[in-house]
Amino acid sequence: MIELRTPAEIEQMRPAGRFVAEVLTTLRDQTKVGTNLLDIDRHAHEMIRAAGAQSCYIDYHPSFGASPFGKVICTSVNDAVLHGLPHDYVLRDGDLVSLDFAVSIDGWVADSAVSFVVGTPRDEDLRLIDTTQRALAAAIAAATTDHRIGDISAAIAGVSHAGGYAINTDFGGHGVGHVMHGDPHIPNDGKPGRGYPLRPGLVIAIEPWLLATTDELVTDPDGWTLRSVDGSRGSHSEHTIAITAEGPIVLTDRSFLGVD
Ligand code: MG
């Protein structure tokens, strides 16, 4: 069921969005060559406790998961792109890291993801990350009340295909509210002018993710971490946005922190 939020409810969602933006910015700043993925999760957990927030991940146990996730953040490195289960791994020079983080504050969820390189970046990784970020920006720009979900999907696909990347539509964006994954589903490819109309009060997470040279995934033995089938690297960009008559509000926007 698709639920629409009142302007007052959208205001109530802002603290969760701001907190997710702050945590991702802090973790990105502190994640370096030599950082252990388990320390990223530990630090995220400390910030959740200090803020009195609730993790959306730690007890998360969907049908495709082998067991409850057990951690508070997804850390996907290099050929891992989604649902990376933090494990004992020390980041190396040039590693491409994706962090995906969601919490609930006062009963409202926010969900966001960011990709970056630690140490010396490879040009092809920077291009992959930049294309994913531009796909998200184009999708947000298309999230206006004269459009439909297909316009968001087509915006993502347009930027991605122009960059030469294929799209896997197994995982995409979703409604956000009192729970992390609600209706509607937001596919990362689709036809403009199709699908559910973007009504004021619709709150969704938009999350393009790309793999450099394939659109096929394999699951790690941990039952969670999704990797490219060919070992090529992945990138993931996600924001939670509210659609309003005045245009989209990016609830997890990091610009107030002076970062992108
Ligand atoms: Mg997410």
Side-chain angles (χ1 to χ4, degrees):
M1 187 180 75
I2 295 173
E3 294 180 84
L4 300 176
R5 310 300 173 183
T6 65
E9 288 174 322
I10 291 171
E11 287 303 307
Q12 290 167 15
M13 299 179 87
R14 285 185 183 272
R18 273 196 297 269
F19 177 72
V20 167
E22 287 168 355
V23 170
L24 284 178
T25 300
T26 299
L27 294 174
R28 183 172 62 176
D29 287 349
Q30 295 183 348
T31 300
K32 313 276 188 200
V33 176
T35 300
N36 192 308
L37 301 183
L38 293 175
D39 289 330
I40 298 174
D41 179 70
R42 195 172 299 124
H43 191 196
H45 213 158
E46 286 166 5
M47 287 187 273
I48 285 174
R49 282 196 206 95
Q54 306 292 318
S55 171
C56 295
Y57 290 172
I58 196 158
D59 298 321
Y60 188 58
H61 191 184
S63 55
F64 59 81
S67 57
F69 192 70
K71 305 291 184 188
V72 301
I73 191 164
C74 295
T75 56
S76 303
V77 179
N78 295 338
D79 59 327
V81 65
L82 295 176
H83 306 167
L85 185 66
H87 61 286
D88 184 13
Y89 174 81
V90 176
L91 290 169
R92 299 172 188 165
D93 187 44
D95 277 349
L96 196 172
V97 183
S98 299
L99 303 178
D100 190 351
F101 185 66
V103 300
S104 171
I105 292 179
D106 297 331
W108 295 104
V109 170
D111 187 2
S112 184
V114 62
S115 290
F116 56 95
V117 175
V118 294
T120 314
R122 310 191 310 186
D123 286 347
E124 59 263 43
D125 291 343
L126 295 180
R127 194 175 80 82
L128 181 68
I129 292 168
D130 176 68
T131 305
T132 316
Q133 290 173 340
R134 287 189 294 105
L136 177 58
I140 293 170
T144 52
T145 52
D146 56 340
H147 282 157
R148 292 171 178 265
I149 284 175
D151 294 292
I152 293 176
S153 305
I156 292 169
V159 172
S160 305
H161 289 153
Y165 302 107
I167 289 176
N168 171 311
T169 54
D170 289 352
F171 298 91
H174 47 90
V176 173
H178 294 301
V179 296
M180 176 167 60
H181 287 149
D183 292 329
H185 177 60
I186 316 288
N188 284 343
D189 195 358
K191 291 189 167 66
R194 301 284 182 86
Y196 182 82
L198 300 177
R199 299 205 163 97
L202 183 67
V203 179
I204 52 175
I206 303 175
E207 49 177 321
W209 56 276
L210 295 172
L211 300 168
T213 57
T214 183
D215 62 355
E216 285 187 63
L217 293 169
V218 290
T219 308
D220 264 11
D222 66 20
W224 286 100
T225 306
L226 294 168
R227 295 183 189 276
S228 67
V229 72
D230 66 355
S232 67
R233 293 185 169 191
S235 172
H236 184 200
S237 290
E238 178 178 19
H239 275 308
T240 297
I241 70 159
I243 289 162
T244 78
E246 292 77 39
I249 297 170
V250 183
L251 293 166
T252 49
D253 190 11
R254 294 182 292 272
S255 61
F256 78 99
L257 297 161
V259 296
D260 60 12

